[in-house]
Amino acid sequence: MPRLSDEFIKEVLDKTDIVDIVSEKVALSKKGKSYFGLCPFHHEKTPSFSVEPERKIYNCFSCGEKGNSITFLQKTNNITFVEAVEDLAIKANIEMDFSDYKRDNPNSNSFEITESVNTFYKLYLNATKSGLEAKKYLQDRHIKTDVIKYFDLGLAPNDYDLLHKTLTEKGYLVSDLFDLGLVKKSQKETFYDLFRNRIIFPIKNEQGHTVAYSGRTYKKDDESAKYINSPQTKIFTKSHILYNLNNAINHIKKTDRVLLFEGQMDVVAAYRANLLESVASMGTSLTTDQVKLIKKYTNNVYICYDGDNAGIEAADRALKMFENERMNVKLVILPEKLDPDDYINKHGAKALEHYINNEWIDSLEFQYKKKNLNIDFTKMLDIESFKKTIFDMIKNSSNTVIETYIKRLALDTKLSMESIRQDFNQYTKRNISNVSNRYRPKLDILDKYEYAERRLLNYFLCDKKYLFNYNKEFGPVFHIKEDVRLLKDIIEDLYLDNDTKDLESAEIYNSFVKKLTEAQKLFFENRCENKELEIIPKEYEDLIGAMNDYQFNLIIAHIEQQMKSAPTIQEKIKFGEYRLQKIKEEKYGQR
Ligand SMILES: [Zn+2]
């Protein structure tokens, strides 16, 4: 296959205004010669994504994504290099035949067929009497028109071979329909439709081509299997596909997380709760191929499986697979053994969103809960073996974590913390003493910034104006320690959730403490110096000064990094000058 010439690519880029291209996805505002907006490649609240029309590039100062109009289209539309160049050439009115440069898709014939099948099923849902009945069923489950459209839902008629007849009349070969699992052969050698009298969920690959179907019964008296799926075909291997990944890709990139559910109805429920970064492994247990597919787009997974025993076992297996790939896993176990669909119907869409974002547990907590399930806490032997399992689980963790679980064990077993601590020390040969009595070393200079972030929490709790001023000055993110960043987020949420005009800072403080997990509470009490809330103007000034220094060092480090990797001497010199200018500005306060 020939390659597009460099001259041609240059011509396309020269005739393209990158601001136009990016503006289709990102709201930009002009500042000097550049444009700024919220980065489409990571989640942020203040703009760090810049577009430079003169150099025809974009660059995100937070996540480091950069490139030109071609890479921008590739990444945001999930298309190939040649497809992106073709789109730009069409926009720039450049005549060119791209067919030689594109790999022929060996499955294009199959995808053409599934496209026609989608049209057939959709028409049947939207323009027939049975369709009305099916829609009523969907409406009763709060699946409205927007949802039907988003997931491309259709209806298979209650008919022996209507799909078969319609498609062969259109000229498609029955052998192709058979190979795609759409029709089956009877003993009398006639063909009949696989899906009959079912609501149809098309299953699509990453590029959005339909590769298979899942059909769900919807009539009360229908006693056949609730779901049937397409068999394995040349375009469909169940273990390679994640339901809804095609729609979710850009949202996964943007939020830098994926929500993994068990079935397609869960994903539909998540959509209703405005959680668009959701996919499903479709009833089967998760495969390594599916894990790798997710890892292409993010390292952060929320496993949202059902809260029944089967769901918890499946979540445990999935957890281990992700951890093998060194991915970060959070688990969401819905209460009352509900699945997401039931949960949303009982408590509402907002509640599901809130639950997933706030009530997740980490893998240790999950293990603890899971091991805790079958323990009879009145039996000494059970308690002894439970203690040891938990000791094994936490023995390599930080002191804070160990202390948290010692506390949990004490509560569950009704033994004293001190005796459990002694058992732990004996069992693991570690030496844990009560953390709050531990000697705290004097801050060294490196800890200065870390200390400043921790200590600023005090001011945020005293008055929201400190928090909002901080965000205005430095952006909403705490950079140095994850623990502290999460605490800041909790305070911020409190102010956003409540109309806090009339709230005393003591009330804010109390509702803040209530929101903390045990581990966070320990961390906050012991590391954040919040014996009492008070405002000391001189200290506040020093803390802000420290954060200024930190941000400045970050910027300089970033420029130096760019200088190092710049391809030409001229570029290196430019970054060098930029660096000097920044240092001067800092020194003479011309910011
Ligand atoms: Zn970014």
Side-chain angles (χ1 to χ4, degrees), residues 10 151 167 170-171 183 224 237 241 335 361 467 566 579 591:
K10 188 168 178 305
F151 292 98
L167 268 86
K170 274 184 131 181
V183 300
S224 52
T237 308
I241 295 278
I361 54 179
L467 175 66
R579 177 176 172 277
R591 289 171 336 121

Side-chain angles (χ1 to χ4, degrees), residues 39-42 44 48-49 60-65:
C39 177
F41 303 107
H42 84 278
E44 64 177 8
S48 51
F49 180 79
C60 172
F61 292 105
S62 288
C63 72
E65 273 291 343

Side-chain angles (χ1 to χ4, degrees), residues 86-147:
E86 185 177 12
D87 284 356
L88 293 175
I90 291 169
K91 282 203 180 86
N93 285 321
I94 303 172
E95 294 265 332
M96 171 80 171
D97 181 5
F98 282 87
S99 47
D100 286 348
Y101 300 93
K102 284 196 279 191
R103 210 181 294 281
D104 266 345
N105 193 327
N107 296 322
S108 50
N109 180 47
S110 306
F111 296 150
E112 196 191 316
I113 296 174
T114 53
E115 215 29 64
S116 294
V117 173
N118 287 357
T119 310
F120 172 86
Y121 286 145
K122 278 192 284 189
L123 198 69
Y124 210 83
L125 178 65
N126 290 310
T128 64
K129 207 174 147 220
S130 328
L132 277 180
E133 200 185 328
K135 274 191 168 170
K136 166 97 177 51
Y137 169 88
L138 290 169
Q139 293 274 339
D140 290 347
R141 272 149 198 78
H142 310 280
I143 298 177
K144 306 212 169 87
T145 320
D146 62 316
V147 186

Side-chain angles (χ1 to χ4, degrees), residues 48 152 212 238 246 308 353 370 383 421 452 574 584:
S48 51
D152 234 1
K238 202 170 176 181
N246 58 309
D308 59 6
E353 184 191 0
K370 186 169 169 279
I383 291 181
R421 204 175 283 126
K574 246 173 104 186
K584 266 192 209 152

Side-chain angles (χ1 to χ4, degrees), residues 490-503:
I490 294 172
I491 300 176
E492 196 161 0
D493 284 347
L494 276 176
Y495 285 126
L496 294 176
D497 286 346
N498 299 301
D499 185 14
T500 47
K501 267 202 306 282
D502 334 305
L503 276 193

